[in-house]
Amino acid sequence: MYKFRVLAVFSNNDNKQSPNSCKFTLKMAPAHMPQAPAAGPVIVKARPVSPKAISITWQYLPVDHAPIEGYFVYHKPYEASDADYKKQTLLGPARSSHLLTELKPNT
């Protein structure tokens, strides 16, 4: 339960306060847990830009019940173990491409 009071502050310190409010009970709506999307993005293009950089482009059809906040891009040399993935975080739902830089040439 809460009560509130508002105070108007004036430069001459002649502050005026409101009367207390009636008691107020804060009720919380049930938490809505978003559902995971049924399918992830699909890489539609990967093209070399330089010996140390590749541009990747993906498509993703968002669904209403799973809003997008951004993407994670994982990459590793083909021969590396599964534990060797590097992760890059891309914020923003409108992203659909990324430039991977500082890659090892000839891998």
Side-chain angles (χ1 to χ4, degrees):
M1 297 258 229
Y2 291 89
K3 284 186 176 185
F4 298 94
R5 177 182 289 169
V6 177
L7 186 76
V9 178
F10 298 97
S11 60
N12 65 357
N13 289 326
D14 187 20
N15 306 329
K16 304 292 182 197
Q17 50 181 274
S18 70
N20 284 337
S21 69
C22 297
K23 289 181 186 176
F24 179 84
T25 302
L26 182 63
K27 294 184 182 178
M28 192 169 156
H32 171 70
M33 297 300 291
Q35 297 177 4
V42 176
I43 296 174
V44 294
K45 186 183 347 178
R47 64 177 181 84
V49 176
S50 75
K52 293 185 177 185
I54 292 176
S55 172
I56 60 169
T57 303
W58 61 88
Q59 287 182 334
Y60 180 69
L61 299 175
V63 290
D64 291 340
H65 64 277
I68 300 285
E69 294 180 10
Y71 296 92
F72 295 132
V73 174
Y74 293 90
H75 62 92
K76 68 177 181 90
Y78 181 77
E79 70 279 353
S81 73
D82 284 345
D84 292 339
Y85 276 98
K86 292 183 181 178
K87 175 182 169 183
Q88 293 185 316
T89 304
L90 310 175
L91 298 177
R95 302 281 306 250
S96 64
S97 66
H98 182 65
L99 182 65
L100 295 168
T101 60
E102 299 182 23
L103 302 175
K104 293 179 186 175
N106 300 317
T107 58

